[in-house]
Amino acid sequence: MRHKKVLQALTVAFLTFASTSLGKEYVIYNISQDIPMGYKDERLEKSYFVNIGKVQGIKGGAILNVHRKISKLNPLKTWERHHFKVKVGHLKVVHTEDYSSICEESSIQQKKAQAGSLDIKGFMLGDIVSLKVQEK
């Protein structure tokens, strides 16, 4: 009987841990921008804060993929909802801590097919980030 209770407790602990850590999405949670001074051809620098860091294996110089979830309703067929994960671009990590990093813009996706599906063409709060895997 005691063995069964221990097994149940371990199962509950594992499922709790697995559901909170394995399914976690990493996102842009804050954006910091220079204050515009009104100069001609002024370029405002932005810093993007993400909730992924050293503990997840992120190092300075790493390139992160940025995607946005888009959800659209189809009123022509039983109001079915379709979900899309559209690539927005890449961020470059410039500073990292245990559970967060600061990034700068590396590239914005410019493909016409994807650009038409994005209401906002730049990075925004809630965009999903993941480590870019280099292909050999």
Side-chain angles (χ1 to χ4, degrees), residues 29 49-54 56 95-102:
Y29 68 85
F49 297 81
V50 297
N51 64 339
I52 187 172
K54 291 178 186 177
Q56 292 81 21
H95 177 80
T96 185
E97 295 291 333
D98 286 345
Y99 294 97
S100 61
S101 299
I102 303 172

Side-chain angles (χ1 to χ4, degrees), residues 35-63:
I35 298 173
M37 301 305 287
Y39 299 123
K40 184 179 178 175
D41 300 325
E42 180 178 30
R43 186 171 189 278
L44 301 176
E45 296 294 325
K46 289 185 180 180
S47 295
Y48 300 89
F49 297 81
V50 297
N51 64 339
I52 187 172
K54 291 178 186 177
V55 171
Q56 292 81 21
I58 302 300
K59 298 178 181 175
I63 302 296

Side-chain angles (χ1 to χ4, degrees), residues 35-116:
I35 298 173
M37 301 305 287
Y39 299 123
K40 184 179 178 175
D41 300 325
E42 180 178 30
R43 186 171 189 278
L44 301 176
E45 296 294 325
K46 289 185 180 180
S47 295
Y48 300 89
F49 297 81
V50 297
N51 64 339
I52 187 172
K54 291 178 186 177
V55 171
Q56 292 81 21
I58 302 300
K59 298 178 181 175
I63 302 296
L64 302 177
N65 288 318
V66 181
H67 291 86
R68 183 167 306 145
K69 281 187 179 178
I70 299 173
S71 180
K72 297 293 182 183
L73 196 60
N74 181 356
L76 303 176
K77 185 178 180 186
T78 66
W79 293 90
E80 184 178 8
R81 184 164 291 279
H82 298 275
H83 304 281
F84 303 91
K85 189 175 179 183
V86 180
K87 188 167 188 177
V88 180
H90 298 102
L91 290 174
K92 181 178 180 182
V93 176
V94 294
H95 177 80
T96 185
E97 295 291 333
D98 286 345
Y99 294 97
S100 61
S101 299
I102 303 172
C103 305
E104 62 185 19
E105 183 180 305
S106 178
S107 67
I108 297 284
Q109 200 71 10
Q110 296 297 329
K111 293 180 183 177
K112 288 184 179 183
Q114 291 182 349

Side-chain angles (χ1 to χ4, degrees), residues 120-131:
I120 298 175
K121 304 293 188 254
F123 302 119
M124 57 189 274
L125 296 178
D127 282 350
I128 302 163
V129 296
S130 61
L131 184 61

Side-chain angles (χ1 to χ4, degrees), residues 28-40:
I28 297 173
Y29 68 85
N30 198 317
I31 301 172
S32 176
Q33 178 177 319
D34 289 343
I35 298 173
M37 301 305 287
Y39 299 123
K40 184 179 178 175

